[in-house]
Amino acid sequence: MENHNRSLVSIQQLRCFESIYRLRSITRAASELGLTQPALSKALASLRTEFRDQLFVRTPSHMEATTQADRMIQSVRKALHIVDVDLRAGTTFDPRVARRGFTLCCSDLGTLVLAPSLLAYFRANAPHVRLRVVPPVQIDMALGLAQGEIDLVIGAFPELSSDVYQQVLFSDTYSCLVSAQHPRIGKAITLEQFVSEYHVVASATRSGHQHSAVERRIIELCGADGIAVRVPSFLEAPPLVERTDFLLTMPTVSAKHFARPRVLRLVDCPLDIRPLEVRQYWHQRTHHDSAHLWLRTLVFELFGRSRASNGLPFSN
């Protein structure tokens, strides 16, 4: 006898639910999943019928989750983790035909420098693999790794919990960016000059990045009056330096990305700052998963020590 009470929910519908919940947008969820908006709307309609709830309600700015959707989300994510990770553990991952996404957590500079190389590799060798990037300031990284919301964290985060695996990619020093027309600073800068100048400070305090210690050191040495402006992102800082006589202190390999002849000049930072160790971090739950192993190996091959020694640009 046929069981008419059996749930008709599919794995694909659960993926649609999770993506809408996380992105709060039908358009963005459809783009992430590679679906048309009508196809995603049809999946949502089926879920609404199955669970007898709207699940998501449209507001002027986003799709708002209902109480029922809030109750469902953790169970949905556990189910997807079982399908995507647990059931595939030990199986071979073939990037040429695999259809899945990876979520990378890194700074704004990480997105600028890492993402193009990864996406170029995906396009040539893993055409159906998708990449999503989230900033560390908006997510609890350890929890995100544990719950499968992010696959890899890349950066220098010394306070990440001990149950997270780590691999050093490369070490970096610090340099200063100044305008090529700076009236007082030439090819080098002394500590006395550094302290007497005005500074642009990019804040990393909310992310737990190692740079937050450098940020505190600059403020201690130069005082509050020596900080001309604080910005929440390194990407916002170089244009301010270009048009002023302010200084910007940042990791060297990232600073090289912005230095341009007759516009922005790179000089050695006179502060005694310990090297920045850039690592990739992942959770023990995905340590033996073949897809995650492929991604970690790829990241190390693209951005590991041997590449860094050749002077290629990398993220902080």
Side-chain angles (χ1 to χ4, degrees), residues 180 259-264:
R260 302 193 306 281
R262 296 184 295 279
V263 179
L264 283 175

Side-chain angles (χ1 to χ4, degrees), residues 13 66 69 93 99 110 130 138 186-187 192 213 224 242 255 279:
Q13 288 171 342
T66 65
F93 177 76
R99 292 180 177 271
R130 304 176 308 278
Q138 294 182 1
K187 295 182 179 179
E192 290 74 19
E242 179 182 335
R279 303 168 181 258

Side-chain angles (χ1 to χ4, degrees), residues 50-278:
E50 178 67 26
F51 294 102
R52 300 179 182 178
D53 188 87
Q54 283 292 98
L55 300 179
F56 302 98
V57 179
R58 190 178 299 279
T59 72
S61 60
H62 64 279
M63 298 293 288
E64 182 66 32
T66 65
T67 302
Q68 172 69 7
D70 286 335
R71 286 196 295 262
M72 291 170 53
I73 186 59
Q74 291 305 322
S75 296
V76 169
R77 285 173 173 164
K78 288 179 182 178
L80 292 176
H81 189 277
I82 289 172
V83 172
D84 291 336
V85 178
D86 295 347
L87 294 180
R88 295 179 180 178
T91 61
T92 300
F93 177 76
D94 186 351
R96 296 169 298 178
V97 297
R99 292 180 177 271
R100 68 167 295 167
F102 292 105
T103 299
L104 184 68
C105 179
C106 60
S107 69
D108 49 7
L109 291 178
T111 303
L112 178 68
V113 179
L114 292 172
S117 297
L118 283 173
L119 291 173
Y121 186 92
F122 287 174
R123 186 175 182 83
N125 303 281
H128 304 297
V129 172
R130 304 176 308 278
L131 181 66
R132 172 174 173 256
V133 181
V134 296
V137 295
Q138 294 182 1
I139 191 168
D140 183 323
M141 290 176 283
L143 183 62
L145 288 170
Q147 294 184 343
E149 294 179 9
I150 54 180
D151 296 293
L152 278 182
V153 174
I154 298 181
F157 301 99
E159 297 181 5
L160 264 179
S161 58
S162 58
D163 62 343
V164 173
Y165 285 92
Q166 306 178 18
Q167 182 184 34
V168 176
L169 296 176
F170 62 95
S171 295
D172 196 7
T173 59
Y174 268 84
S175 295
C176 296
L177 274 178
V178 300
S179 169
Q181 286 76 43
H182 198 287
R184 293 173 298 279
I185 299 175
K187 295 182 179 179
I189 180 173
T190 66
L191 181 59
E192 290 74 19
Q193 284 179 305
F194 184 93
V195 173
S196 66
E197 295 291 338
Y198 287 102
H199 296 259
V200 177
V201 172
S203 181
T205 54
R206 293 179 58 199
S207 68
H209 195 280
Q210 186 179 326
H211 178 75
S212 60
V214 179
E215 179 184 345
R216 291 192 298 270
R217 180 81 181 281
I218 295 172
I219 295 172
E220 289 170 1
L221 284 173
C222 303
D225 292 341
I227 309 304
V229 59
R230 300 182 70 159
V231 294
S233 164
F234 267 117
L235 297 185
E236 300 171 28
L240 298 177
V241 176
E242 179 182 335
R243 296 174 176 84
T244 66
D245 59 355
F246 302 155
L247 268 67
L248 172 64
T249 303
M250 65 188 303
T252 300
V253 288
S254 296
K256 289 179 179 179
H257 187 82
F258 296 100
R260 302 193 306 281
R262 296 184 295 279
V263 179
L264 283 175
R265 185 170 64 250
L266 198 68
V267 296
D268 292 339
C269 179
L271 301 183
D272 182 16
I273 302 174
R274 68 184 179 92
L276 195 72
E277 279 206 336
V278 179

